[in-house]
Amino acid sequence: MSDALVLENAVAEGAARVREVAAPGMITVKGELSSAKLADAVRLATGCAMPGQRAILAQQTCRVGWMAPDELLLIVPRPAVAQTVADLQAALTGEHALVADVSDMRAVFRVEGGIAARETLAKLCPVDLAPGVFGPGDLRRTRLAQVAAGFWMEDDGFTLVCFRSVARYVFDALSRAAADDARVGYF
């Protein structure tokens, strides 16, 4: 499967705007995150340093996000995935690590609209999204309406990643939470 879209560019307009975006290349790297060899491999592959806990770093078209104490999510342009995986595997020879292309497993959404975007996610996730608490560079891997998701803040909204098998469910939940008549005015 190589379709970067699951729901054919679905869009919902409300207090916040929810839209599907083409999934970039995504690579899961599991290993000892304190390893200098792993840090060097990630820097060579993406230009990014190792992110801190619950953080995401960006360098041009690449991102590296902390997903767990032993797991990173690397985001690269789709055409670069195969070479990046090969480069990482070669660089990590002898290191206890796993490198896997997970691009086709995921659906990606943008939730935009400033405070309304924050409230949309806050209704669905057990995460403190208050301004000043969650900001650019923060990443959370959590539950969104009872399914696994990860999201981070960029520009005027959030980028959210979920499994493609639950893409319709996630889009519908986000759309309902973002509707004009669903405003709560919490933030």
Side-chain angles (χ1 to χ4, degrees), residues 68-115:
D70 66 345
E71 183 179 349
L72 299 172
L73 177 65
L74 278 61
I75 299 171
V76 300
R78 266 191 181 254
V81 170
Q83 187 61 56
T84 303
V85 167
D87 292 347
L88 285 165
Q89 289 172 333
L92 295 171
T93 299
E95 191 84 2
H96 180 70
L98 167 78
V99 178
D101 175 2
V102 296
S103 307
D104 291 335
M105 294 173 51
R106 309 284 169 82
V108 181
F109 299 97
R110 285 284 299 157
V111 182
E112 301 163 315
I115 294 297

Side-chain angles (χ1 to χ4, degrees), residues 8-113:
E8 300 178 14
N9 287 312
V11 176
E13 299 285 351
R17 182 175 196 233
V18 178
R19 62 186 174 94
E20 181 187 23
V21 296
M26 289 180 259
I27 301 166
T28 290
V29 177
K30 293 191 113 193
E32 179 55 54
L33 300 189
S34 63
S35 161
K37 192 172 185 178
L38 180 59
D40 289 344
V42 167
R43 186 183 314 278
L44 284 172
T46 65
C48 297
M50 292 292 276
Q53 186 176 25
R54 294 185 307 273
I56 189 164
L57 300 174
Q59 187 68 29
Q60 297 177 346
T61 60
C62 297
R63 286 171 177 57
V64 178
W66 183 95
M67 298 299 280
D70 66 345
E71 183 179 349
L72 299 172
L73 177 65
L74 278 61
I75 299 171
V76 300
R78 266 191 181 254
V81 170
Q83 187 61 56
T84 303
V85 167
D87 292 347
L88 285 165
Q89 289 172 333
L92 295 171
T93 299
E95 191 84 2
H96 180 70
L98 167 78
V99 178
D101 175 2
V102 296
S103 307
D104 291 335
M105 294 173 51
R106 309 284 169 82
V108 181
F109 299 97
R110 285 284 299 157
V111 182
E112 301 163 315

Side-chain angles (χ1 to χ4, degrees), residues 67 106-107 125 140-151 160-167 169-170:
M67 298 299 280
R106 309 284 169 82
C125 301
R140 292 299 181 275
R141 181 181 193 176
T142 186
R143 304 299 263 168
L144 179 134
Q146 301 307 311
V147 298
F151 61 86
L160 183 137
V161 176
C162 67
F163 289 110
R164 63 184 292 126
S165 61
V166 295
Y169 173 78
V170 168

